[in-house]
């Protein structure tokens, strides 16, 4: 039979189609489970289980977890620095440095 390109979000090792782990994605034509990378809002080793990004941080996809700045917080599953907002009593741009509010 005719061969077809392995679809996105899967990998084809030795001619067998397998789906990437939950919350992971790959480009079409991938041939190894390690081609599956965690989607934004998740983190984990390539080809392995992906975990939800923890609160007070953000995950742009792949292996890294980046902490929000000091006095800044974000909900779990955040996928960019824009999700980091200053805590109560502090102010500043989303994803930026937080400054203590003055009394009053």
């Amino acid at each position: 039979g005719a061969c077809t390109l392995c679809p996105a979000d899967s990998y084809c090792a030795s001619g067998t189609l397998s789906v990437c782990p939950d919350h992971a994605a790959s480009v079409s034509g991938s041939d190894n489970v390690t081609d599956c990378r965690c989607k934004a809002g998740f983190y984990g080793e390539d080809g392995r289980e992906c975990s939800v990004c923890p609160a007070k941080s953000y995950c742009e996809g792949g292996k890294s977890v980046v902490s929000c700045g000091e006095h800044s917080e974000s909900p779990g599953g955040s996928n960019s620095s824009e999700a980091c907002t200053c805590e109560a009593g502090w102010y500043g741009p989303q994803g930026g440095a937080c400054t203590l509010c003055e009394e009053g």
Side-chain angles (χ1 to χ4, degrees), residues 26-51:
S26 68
V27 297
S28 60
S30 295
D31 63 0
N32 194 303
V33 68
T34 57
D35 293 330
C36 299
R37 296 189 72 227
C38 293
K39 296 177 182 178
F42 296 85
Y43 71 98
E45 294 294 319
D46 293 348
R48 298 305 232 356
E49 183 179 338
C50 298
S51 301

Side-chain angles (χ1 to χ4, degrees), residues 43-80:
Y43 71 98
E45 294 294 319
D46 293 348
R48 298 305 232 356
E49 183 179 338
C50 298
S51 301
V52 175
C53 196
K56 296 192 175 200
S57 62
Y58 61 95
C59 301
E60 296 178 317
K63 303 173 192 173
S64 64
V65 176
V66 182
S67 295
C68 289
E70 195 172 6
H71 305 293
S72 184
E73 57 193 6
S74 69
S78 295
N79 61 14
S80 80

Side-chain angles (χ1 to χ4, degrees), residues 10-31:
S10 64
Y11 61 98
C12 299
S14 304
T16 303
L17 173 65
S18 301
V19 178
C20 284
D22 288 346
H23 311 295
S26 68
V27 297
S28 60
S30 295
D31 63 0

Side-chain angles (χ1 to χ4, degrees), residues 69-70 72 81 84 86 92-98:
E70 195 172 6
S72 184
S81 63
C84 298
C86 295
Q94 285 184 285
C98 296

